Amino acid sequence: MTWTPKLVALDIDGTLLIPDLEHGFSTEVVTEPVTEAVLDAARAGAHVVLASGRAPLSMAGVADRLGLTDLVAELTGERLHIVASNGSVVVRHAPLEMVHEVTFDASEAVRTVLEHVPAAAVAVEEHAVGYKVNRLFPPGELDGEMIICDIDEMIAGPVSRVIIRDPDSTSEDFVNLAKQLGLHGTNYFIGWTAWLDLAPEGVSKASGLEWVCRDLGVDAAEVLAIGDGRNDIEMLQWAGRGVAMGQGPAVVHEAADHVTDTVREDGAAVELRKWFR
């Protein structure tokens, strides 16, 4: 137990925030034990990096509510690194500034999915604004403004992330569909609802964190990563210590070095307290 993480990578939904499974999104409240454990990691000198499928604007808000943004500025005089959009975007905050982005042509993948799920809602990120959408998403699922657009307009140029959502399908439906279609040229990440994230080939939270580590002079072996979802698998396998949340699916547990308690049992705090007391 002489190892101490130099960088802590934290998923948000299902790791820091408790998911509302009935409505398909997270509460915006982090419990006091989790908040204090995260802040104590920063006070101990670790780089704390939020890594999520969320958009940068949404993640910046979570960092602010945690008190992490102000604490990092106070302790280091530097801005917080945030890995957003499943690794395709890295920003510094505050103020919010994009420092790295990977884009791709999503047109073929989106059209292929819509052939099989024609009623699906599609969203393309508009950084610092919100999303272009072909139809409105359920309330609470997207942060920022929703701008109604034609599909062809949305995918006419390179994008960093596309979300496809079908309230009438299950997560397993989308897992099976993604495998069936192959989705060449993209990675896909499935949420706890019927939610499919398309990202550039080879891009994941792990690749975004690699960029941050190079910027900070930290090795992957010095990283503690905690997450609960399928989009955390690459991150958990890449980090020196990858920890899965207790409520995560079996495939995530299998990818991790350790499984902590569930999000409702403050599992992230349980793990962080092993290293930052």
Side-chain angles (χ1 to χ4, degrees):
M1 299 289 281
T2 58
W3 178 81
T4 302
K6 289 188 177 179
L7 187 147
V8 176
L10 297 169
D11 171 51
I12 292 179
D13 300 288
T15 299
L16 299 181
L17 301 182
I18 298 172
D20 180 345
L21 297 179
E22 180 181 351
H23 298 99
F25 55 91
S26 289
T27 64
E28 289 298 317
V29 177
V30 185
T31 67
E32 184 175 348
V34 172
T35 298
E36 286 307 309
V38 171
L39 297 180
D40 281 347
R43 291 183 185 113
H47 300 284
V48 178
V49 179
L50 301 183
S52 171
R54 288 188 179 214
L57 191 62
S58 171
M59 294 182 68
V62 173
D64 291 347
R65 287 189 291 276
L66 271 170
L68 188 59
T69 308
D70 288 343
L71 180 62
V72 168
E74 176 187 332
L75 292 173
T76 69
E78 300 289 337
R79 292 179 294 160
L80 190 68
H81 281 87
I82 293 174
V83 175
S85 308
N86 283 318
S88 59
V89 176
V90 177
V91 297
R92 299 294 301 273
H93 178 67
L96 197 64
E97 177 194 7
M98 184 186 301
V99 293
H100 175 68
E101 181 181 27
V102 183
T103 61
F104 72 116
D105 179 357
S107 56
E108 181 180 355
V110 170
R111 291 191 178 100
T112 300
V113 172
L114 288 178
E115 286 175 7
H116 292 77
V117 193
V122 180
V124 173
E125 261 183 43
E126 286 285 293
H127 299 308
V129 176
Y131 295 84
K132 289 181 178 178
V133 298
N134 66 329
R135 62 193 63 186
L136 296 179
F137 274 55
E141 288 199 346
L142 298 179
D143 289 288
E145 185 180 354
M146 284 190 276
I147 307 162
I148 299 290
C149 292
D150 180 77
I151 283 286
D152 290 336
E153 178 185 344
M154 291 166 58
I155 57 178
V159 298
S160 57
R161 178 194 185 196
V162 177
I163 299 167
I164 300 175
R165 172 75 159 92
D166 181 13
D168 298 322
S169 298
T170 67
S171 177
E172 290 307 313
D173 289 337
F174 267 28
V175 169
N176 294 331
L177 176 62
K179 290 179 179 177
Q180 174 190 337
L181 298 181
L183 294 178
H184 299 296
T186 65
N187 286 343
Y188 60 90
F189 310 103
I190 311 294
W192 63 83
T193 62
W195 178 292
L196 182 67
D197 254 308
L198 304 180
E201 181 67 25
V203 167
S204 67
K205 293 184 186 182
S207 66
L209 286 164
E210 272 187 323
W211 191 95
V212 173
C213 282
R214 286 194 298 270
D215 193 43
L216 293 173
V218 175
D219 190 81
E222 300 171 308
V223 175
L224 166 64
I226 309 176
D228 76 309
R230 290 179 177 89
N231 61 333
D232 293 309
I233 289 174
E234 293 93 342
M235 174 179 77
L236 299 182
Q237 293 173 330
W238 164 83
R241 179 173 170 87
V243 176
M245 299 294 292
Q247 81 282 354
V251 66
V252 179
H253 289 185
E254 291 164 5
D257 300 303
H258 177 70
V259 178
T260 187
D261 293 343
T262 69
V263 65
R264 295 183 182 278
E265 298 167 320
D266 296 331
V270 171
E271 174 63 23
L272 288 170
R273 287 303 179 200
K274 293 178 179 179
W275 316 103
F276 309 104
R277 297 189 179 278

